[in-house]
Amino acid sequence: MSFPIVRNRRLRGSHALRNLVRETQLTVNDLIYPIFVTVGTNIKSEIASMPGVYHFSLDRLEEEIEEISGLGLQAILLFGVPEHKDAVGTSAYAEDGIVQQATRLIKKQKPDLLIVADTCLCQFTDHGHCGVIEHNSLTNRSDVKNDLSLELLVQTAVSQAQAGADIIAPSNMMDGFVHAIRNGLDDAGFEDIPIMSYSVKYASAFYGPFRDAAHSAPQFGDRKTYQMDPANAREALREAEADVIEGADMLMVKPALAYMDIIRNLKDHFDLPIVAYNVSAEYSMVKAAAQNGWIDEKAIVLEMLLGFKRAGADIIITYFSKDVARWLR
């Protein structure tokens, strides 16, 4: 059958009718809000390239957590900006590291708020790479050593779990990182802590503002030997499959906006929850355009996040979380 018997517009005739037949829903339960904590006192400092996003010192963190909780958000992704950096990222796995201290404070304040701990070394190393660097005198190159890095990433994950993190989210893109961290957590008695793996993380230009926020730009070279080539899609399935085999509980695609085909591919091939990371430049571009009056920010953001859900994302990490929570109310 076709027109005039079939009239697709019949189901679009009113707001209530459109709500009734809507295929994709966005709720506050889908969202994770990233937070940046730093050393010092009385710090609430706006990140210049990310309007509305701040660095918080531990003594100013309580007010932010109260606001997040009051908006109905149930989960945060915790990033730390340390005072001390060295070649092996010691403060990433120190008992008194900035992330560990923040985790304990938040859990004391809001025990039911889910804390997702970003598990990487780049914010904590003086070279800004996500692992241990060794210099090869024969090739005159400095490279990230995969297996040595795994040992430190396990220490970081275990220390985060000991501090009270609910979910470990390794973002380093070393080969075998899920296997190593799963074994490390299990051996330490944290077999019930899930791993939200940054399974498909591209070497993307969309991370620029984040590197300002986390003070994590590499001091030499780039991360293209461990993060993925943006041109590759089949490789994303290999990366995700490896993480599934190694024990990941959730699979992430990062960035999200230019990679919705990858989100859909993972959704079609794996039965684990799929996470989309709506990254810093995706946020900053919208904020900049909105501040110039060029776009309707609310409409753009809600359409974008619905697009992630429609592509297959079950969970969205976004700096818009607080805004969206207000709009959905």
Side-chain angles (χ1 to χ4, degrees):
M1 291 187 295
S2 62
F3 178 85
I5 296 172
V6 175
R7 291 180 180 268
N8 291 314
R9 288 182 59 188
R10 291 187 187 119
L11 299 183
R12 304 173 195 155
S14 70
H15 180 69
L17 187 54
R18 292 190 296 273
N19 283 343
L20 195 65
V21 300
R22 181 163 291 132
E23 300 172 19
T24 306
Q25 303 290 335
L26 177 69
T27 78
V28 71
N29 296 333
D30 302 324
L31 307 175
I32 298 176
Y33 184 55
I35 295 181
F36 297 93
V37 292
T38 189
V39 295
T41 57
N42 196 30
I43 295 172
K44 181 182 177 181
S45 176
E46 189 173 35
I47 298 162
S49 56
M50 299 177 69
V53 179
Y54 296 83
H55 289 119
F56 290 94
S57 56
L58 296 177
D59 59 321
R60 296 292 301 273
L61 191 55
E62 182 177 355
E63 61 192 82
E64 178 73 349
I65 297 302
E66 285 294 338
E67 181 181 9
I68 289 167
S69 181
L71 288 168
L73 294 165
Q74 299 180 99
I76 60 170
L77 175 59
L78 200 54
F79 294 101
V81 181
E83 182 176 26
H84 171 71
K85 299 189 179 193
D86 57 30
V88 293
T90 304
S91 55
Y93 42 88
E95 184 178 352
D96 62 349
I98 186 65
V99 169
Q100 288 79 359
Q101 291 186 63
T103 299
R104 293 187 184 98
L105 282 174
I106 294 167
K107 277 299 173 185
K108 185 176 180 180
Q109 180 185 354
K110 296 289 181 183
D112 293 332
L113 184 66
L114 285 175
I115 297 178
V116 184
D118 179 79
T119 305
C120 198
L121 301 177
C122 60
Q123 298 112 277
F124 305 95
T125 55
D126 53 15
H127 47 72
H129 280 281
C130 303
V132 177
I133 299 293
E134 279 193 0
H135 185 74
N136 187 325
S137 58
L138 295 177
T139 62
N140 196 32
R141 287 180 52 189
S142 293
D143 296 314
V144 177
K145 305 304 291 184
N146 194 92
D147 295 6
L148 290 176
S149 303
L150 293 179
E151 298 174 16
L152 300 184
L153 292 164
V154 170
Q155 291 184 48
T156 302
V158 170
S159 73
Q160 292 168 337
Q162 289 171 336
D166 299 287
I167 299 170
I168 297 299
S171 60
N172 53 88
M173 288 298 286
M174 296 296 110
D175 289 337
F177 68 92
V178 173
H179 174 77
I181 289 173
R182 183 71 274 158
N183 285 345
L185 289 171
D186 291 354
D187 290 345
F190 296 108
E191 61 274 359
D192 292 330
I193 298 291
I195 294 175
M196 177 188 288
S197 173
Y198 285 66
S199 297
V200 183
K201 183 178 179 180
Y202 285 91
S204 172
F206 283 93
Y207 303 149
F210 173 87
R211 290 175 180 171
D212 292 339
H215 301 172
S216 63
Q219 299 304 299
F220 67 90
D222 53 41
R223 295 173 177 154
K224 294 180 179 179
T225 65
Y226 45 102
Q227 295 178 358
M228 281 183 52
D229 185 339
N232 293 356
R234 294 193 303 273
E235 183 184 3
L237 294 178
R238 299 198 299 273
E239 285 280 5
E241 183 179 30
D243 288 357
V244 171
I245 293 169
E246 293 173 20
D249 300 283
M250 292 169 265
L251 305 175
M252 188 190 302
V253 176
K254 180 183 180 183
L257 190 59
Y259 299 90
M260 285 205 248
D261 60 321
I262 307 302
I263 295 171
R264 172 45 56 185
N265 282 347
L266 263 62
K267 187 71 170 181
D268 288 343
H269 283 84
F270 306 105
D271 59 3
L272 294 179
I274 305 299
V275 185
Y277 197 145
N278 179 211
V279 299
S280 57
E282 297 169 4
Y283 172 86
S284 298
M285 290 189 300
V286 172
K287 284 292 185 182
Q291 288 178 353
N292 278 285
W294 298 336
I295 60 171
D296 179 334
E297 180 181 355
K298 176 182 175 181
I300 288 284
V301 171
L302 292 178
E303 183 176 339
M304 180 170 61
L305 299 193
L306 272 174
F308 300 151
K309 290 292 300 289
R310 192 184 64 251
D314 302 289
I315 300 163
I316 302 171
I317 301 170
T318 178
Y319 303 96
F320 289 112
S321 291
K322 292 198 297 185
D323 295 329
V324 172
R326 295 186 188 99
W327 295 332
L328 290 178
R329 285 184 168 184

